[in-house]
Amino acid sequence: MRTHLRSRRSRITALAAAVTVASLTVAVLPGSAGAAESGPIGFGAGATGGGNASAVTVSSLSAFKSAVAGDTAKTVKVSGVISLSGQVDIGSNTTVLGVGSSSGFTGGGLRLKSETNIVIRNLNISKPVAPADGITVQESSKVWIDHNSFSADRDHDKDYYDGLLDITHASDNVTVSWNTFKNHYKGSLVGHSDNNGDEDSGHLKVTYHHNHFQNVFSRIPSLRFGTGHVYNNLVEGADTGAHSRMGAQMLVENNVFRNTKVAVTTNRSSDEDGYAVQRGNDLGGAKVEISQAGSFTSPPYGYTPEAASAVSASVTAGAGAGKI
């Protein structure tokens, strides 16, 4: 495991060194509402979903299932709130877009399994009853999850609902941006098991930026084996925030933490510790538990992080459904 981790760190360093001045021109200043981003920044860059495909609007579960099936390019607009039991599978080359500020799904969620090039934006996804996650990403790549509002409640046992957003089984190149995550125990898990290193190692490359986590107990996010860039997020009311484990490399920068016990940890709940670098964060009195300093300091893409002093206003104004 240690030899493999050193090899992965060498690859990350080499990739970062290969970033050219030209690639830096893709960075944009997010602005106060984040709506200017026409494509993902971060590891999910290049995800286009349905591209310019003509949109079809649906308002029922049966119509939605039919519209998102298959791998041809498609844009599916969801009008109103659709009740789910379990999850609906989304095909490759798909954009799913909520209409207005209050459309989406409740009771279950969406699943991306062995698919690629998917964009999910402007949806309200609430109360995904276990074993369904709000969104599950498995064995999938090139995914952008942006400007959605995830929520549940903390009136039930912590296992009554499953994760709001879980990324597992060697998924890769995912950007999670400008979403809200509210009133939940298990926020966003990346890498589902300590025992899945053979599949996950070298994968699970994720970027989380400008998300608002409010009254979410933990997994903000939790990352095993992979490489995570967590920047410009606002975290309020958490027990633990960013959690690196099982040799994962995590860069945590320019985030804001309020009413949070532990902002960054690398030494909890797994057989092996993770690695982390934390810089430029406003910890708000939260503790930091970094047992192993990380080597992932230069993401292999252009981005322009806001100063932590600007994050609270920017994220509260711009994150969630209805802001694009």
Side-chain angles (χ1 to χ4, degrees):
M1 177 63 75
R2 293 182 181 275
T3 300
H4 185 82
L5 292 174
R6 285 196 297 269
S7 176
R8 186 162 78 254
R9 291 199 299 272
S10 297
R11 291 197 300 272
I12 292 169
T13 302
L15 186 57
V19 176
T20 65
V21 173
S23 70
L24 293 177
T25 63
V26 304
V28 298
L29 189 64
S32 62
E37 293 169 14
S38 58
I41 295 169
F43 281 115
T48 58
N52 296 321
S54 297
V56 57
T57 300
V58 301
S59 57
S60 70
L61 178 56
S62 59
F64 178 70
K65 285 182 175 179
S66 177
V68 298
D71 296 335
T72 58
K74 53 198 171 296
T75 296
V76 180
K77 292 185 176 182
V78 177
S79 179
V81 176
I82 298 174
S83 294
L84 300 179
S85 176
Q87 293 181 298
V88 176
D89 286 324
I90 310 299
S92 294
N93 306 309
T94 302
T95 295
V96 180
L97 182 67
V99 175
S101 61
S102 57
S103 295
F105 304 95
T106 189
L110 310 179
R111 185 174 71 164
L112 288 53
K113 185 174 182 181
S114 302
E115 307 291 353
T116 188
N117 191 30
I118 296 174
V119 173
I120 300 175
R121 306 185 81 190
N122 204 48
L123 295 172
N124 292 272
I125 299 177
S126 66
K127 299 185 176 182
V129 177
D133 299 317
I135 296 179
T136 299
V137 183
Q138 295 180 348
E139 301 175 272
S140 296
S141 64
K142 206 158 63 171
V143 176
W144 187 25
I145 299 171
D146 177 72
H147 276 100
N148 302 288
S149 295
F150 297 88
S151 66
D153 61 54
R154 290 175 60 174
D155 300 332
H156 298 80
D157 178 84
K158 67 180 180 64
D159 295 321
Y160 180 79
Y161 301 114
D162 214 332
L164 292 178
L165 168 60
D166 286 2
I167 302 166
T168 62
H169 289 288
S171 292
D172 237 340
N173 298 321
V174 180
T175 290
V176 180
S177 58
W178 296 101
N179 303 282
T180 61
F181 297 84
K182 295 185 178 182
N183 302 323
H184 196 60
Y185 282 103
K186 300 176 290 186
S188 190
L189 179 68
V190 185
H192 71 288
S193 170
D194 286 1
N195 300 317
N196 207 53
D198 287 348
E199 180 183 24
D200 286 343
S201 295
H203 301 286
L204 299 175
K205 294 185 287 293
V206 296
T207 301
Y208 286 71
H209 73 84
H210 292 93
N211 301 289
H212 188 183
F213 294 88
Q214 188 174 36
N215 194 33
V216 175
F217 187 78
S218 64
R219 302 182 181 179
I220 304 176
S222 172
L223 172 65
R224 292 179 173 96
F225 301 110
T227 303
H229 186 197
V230 181
Y231 76 93
N232 283 165
N233 300 283
L234 173 60
V235 180
E236 298 179 293
D239 188 76
T240 55
H243 185 182
S244 179
R245 54 212 288 201
M246 296 305 297
Q249 291 279 350
M250 186 180 284
L251 171 60
V252 184
E253 65 172 333
N254 293 26
N255 302 282
V256 174
F257 298 90
R258 293 290 181 264
N259 300 315
T260 297
K261 292 181 180 179
V262 178
V264 185
T265 182
T266 62
N267 59 359
R268 294 186 177 216
S269 308
S270 280
D271 293 338
E272 298 180 24
D273 291 1
Y275 296 82
V277 172
Q278 75 95 7
R279 66 189 184 205
N281 297 293
D282 179 350
L283 298 173
K287 295 180 181 178
V288 171
E289 302 172 342
I290 297 180
S291 59
Q292 300 185 126
S295 61
F296 177 50
T297 59
S298 299
Y301 47 78
Y303 70 105
T304 304
E306 295 179 284
S309 60
V311 166
S312 182
S314 180
V315 170
T316 54
K323 303 293 181 67
I324 58 174

